[in-house]
Amino acid sequence: MSQQNQETIPINYKVKQLADMAGVSSDVVRYYTRISLLEPKQEKLNGYKLYNTHDLHRLRFIRCAKNLGYSLSEIAEILIHSSSGKSPCLMVRDIVEKRIVENRKKLQELEQLQDRMEEAVKKWSDLPDKLPNGNSVCHLIESFGEL
Amino acid sequence: MSQQNQETIPINYKVKQLADMAGVSSDVVRYYTRISLLEPKQEKLNGYKLYNTHDLHRLRFIRCAKNLGYSLSEIAEILIHSSSGKSPCLMVRDIVEKRIVENRKKLQELEQLQDRMEEAVKKWSDLPDKLPNGNSVCHLIESFGEL
DNA sequence: CTTGACCTGTGTGCTACACATAGGTTTATA
DNA sequence: TATAAACCTATGTGTAGCACACAGGTCAAG
């Protein structure tokens, strides 16, 4: 109603409006703004940040990239690269290949942790609780060796 | 040589000595000290921290517990509980059960991420690099939808 | 006594937000 | 029109577990 002439008057969103449209929390929008991933202009009267449709596209891109494993600093690089007119595709492919390798390693580590924890529970089911003493803090944990 | 009478003169280790004996870095010892997981006394002349065999046991326990998935704050709780003479075993069992569930969830999330990334690489292998334009930052990433 | 290697404590940075706080805006009601 | 309640804002801080930078202290060799 109050914004019929979209061509002359730019649409301004406040934090929560932008957040809702992108399906994220206001805190996320504020954080991305703080680290300059979003660059709204400032309302002069009260200092509120004002976002536009470009910011909305950008925010949606960020969430999409995050969902594919890109870190915020990598996304920042991609955005800078892209807005300087160069294709970010090569970088994008490289990063995801690297992330696949990293993530595979992390998965292995967590699987090994899971194994250790499940083994501990099994082993501990036969052991009683004990009071600590000078030599021992918790005999359950200590029964699993130093490494 | 210089410390033959261990019963009367307490053995004091400096940061690196303790770290080496426990197989961790000096930074780890300093960090644990900073968060009061270790509580050395202060050398009066130069402010250096001085650790003893009790600290060594404690440090080894911490690393052992971390290897089983306990967080440092949980380990702190266990240590406090234990040094007040109560058995930490119940707490220890509860935490590891909880951690197993949490870790299983995290594993699933990382596996799903891995799937998404591998699917992306496969899909992208048929797509060319493109220059960005007003509507698109990176068509590769954007081809994977908003969620 | 000086040079150099090695060590020290403290301060800061990292990721990606979540939460607390004090205050401003807007809406409903009297 | 006044006011109270609901909602929103920007900013500051906390989170986990270290790693690294820094300026200076210690200690053995020469």
Side-chain angles (χ1 to χ4, degrees):
Chain A
M1 292 290 206
S2 61
Q3 292 175 333
Q4 289 175 323
N5 43 355
Q6 300 186 358
E7 292 152 9
T8 55
I9 299 181
I11 300 174
N12 287 323
Y13 307 119
K14 283 187 285 188
V15 168
K16 184 152 198 314
Q17 293 174 316
L18 186 76
D20 287 347
M21 285 186 291
V24 302
S25 75
S26 300
D27 277 331
V28 165
V29 171
R30 289 199 191 94
Y31 176 61
Y32 290 175
T33 305
R34 209 175 324 201
I35 63 173
S36 304
L37 268 183
L38 298 174
E39 291 174 321
K41 45 188 177 179
Q42 298 262 70
E43 169 74 38
K44 275 143 198 169
L45 296 93
N46 50 20
Y48 283 15
K49 272 89 171 178
L50 297 177
Y51 303 86
N52 55 33
T53 52
H54 179 249
D55 295 310
L56 179 57
H57 280 129
R58 211 172 157 93
L59 178 51
R60 287 193 169 133
F61 176 81
I62 294 168
R63 297 309 288 192
C64 186
K66 258 196 70 58
N67 188 49
L68 273 174
Y70 295 86
S71 73
L72 292 183
S73 60
E74 288 163 346
I75 294 169
E77 275 192 90
I78 293 167
L79 285 167
I80 289 172
H81 214 79
S82 182
S83 40
S84 72
K86 291 172 281 186
S87 170
C89 294
L90 184 58
M91 189 191 317
V92 162
R93 295 179 200 269
D94 283 351
I95 292 172
V96 81
E97 298 275 6
K98 189 184 64 181
R99 187 74 5 97
I100 284 173
V101 174
E102 290 171 4
N103 199 51
R104 189 155 19 233
K105 187 178 174 193
K106 185 154 210 170
L107 275 168
Q108 286 172 1
E109 288 170 3
L110 290 189
E111 279 161 8
Q112 289 169 7
L113 171 60
Q114 192 77 354
D115 289 346
R116 284 196 301 276
M117 291 191 295
E118 287 174 352
E119 196 188 343
V121 168
K122 193 183 298 176
K123 195 167 170 184
W124 293 349
S125 66
D126 297 330
L127 299 179
D129 290 2
K130 277 190 191 171
L131 287 174
N133 62 49
N135 296 325
S136 163
V137 174
C138 173
H139 72 112
L140 298 177
I141 288 176
E142 284 150 1
S143 72
F144 256 78
E146 298 296 326
L147 189 127
Chain B
M1 292 293 200
S2 60
Q3 291 174 332
Q4 291 173 323
N5 43 355
Q6 299 187 1
E7 291 152 9
T8 55
I9 298 182
I11 301 176
N12 287 323
Y13 307 118
K14 283 186 284 186
V15 169
K16 184 153 197 314
Q17 293 174 318
L18 186 75
D20 287 347
M21 284 186 292
V24 302
S25 75
S26 299
D27 277 329
V28 164
V29 171
R30 281 194 261 266
Y31 175 61
Y32 291 174
T33 305
R34 204 167 342 191
I35 63 173
S36 302
L37 268 183
L38 298 174
E39 291 173 323
K41 44 187 176 175
Q42 297 263 78
E43 168 74 37
K44 275 143 196 169
L45 297 94
N46 51 19
Y48 283 16
K49 272 90 173 177
L50 296 178
Y51 303 86
N52 55 33
T53 53
H54 179 249
D55 294 311
L56 178 57
H57 280 131
R58 211 173 158 91
L59 178 52
R60 287 193 169 134
F61 176 80
I62 294 168
R63 297 308 289 191
C64 186
K66 258 196 69 60
N67 188 49
L68 272 175
Y70 295 87
S71 72
L72 293 182
S73 60
E74 287 162 348
I75 294 169
E77 276 191 89
I78 292 167
L79 285 167
I80 288 172
H81 213 78
S82 183
S83 41
S84 71
K86 290 172 284 189
S87 170
C89 295
L90 185 58
M91 190 190 318
V92 162
R93 295 180 200 268
D94 282 352
I95 292 172
V96 80
E97 298 274 7
K98 190 184 63 178
R99 188 73 4 97
I100 285 173
V101 174
E102 289 171 5
N103 199 52
R104 188 153 23 230
K105 188 178 174 192
K106 185 154 208 169
L107 274 168
Q108 285 172 3
E109 288 169 4
L110 290 190
E111 279 161 8
Q112 288 168 8
L113 172 60
Q114 192 77 354
D115 289 346
R116 284 197 300 277
M117 291 191 296
E118 286 174 351
E119 196 187 343
V121 167
K122 194 183 298 177
K123 195 167 168 183
W124 293 350
S125 65
D126 297 330
L127 299 179
D129 290 2
K130 278 190 191 173
L131 287 175
N133 62 50
N135 296 326
S136 164
V137 173
C138 173
H139 73 110
L140 298 176
I141 289 176
E142 285 150 2
S143 73
F144 256 76
E146 299 297 325
L147 188 129

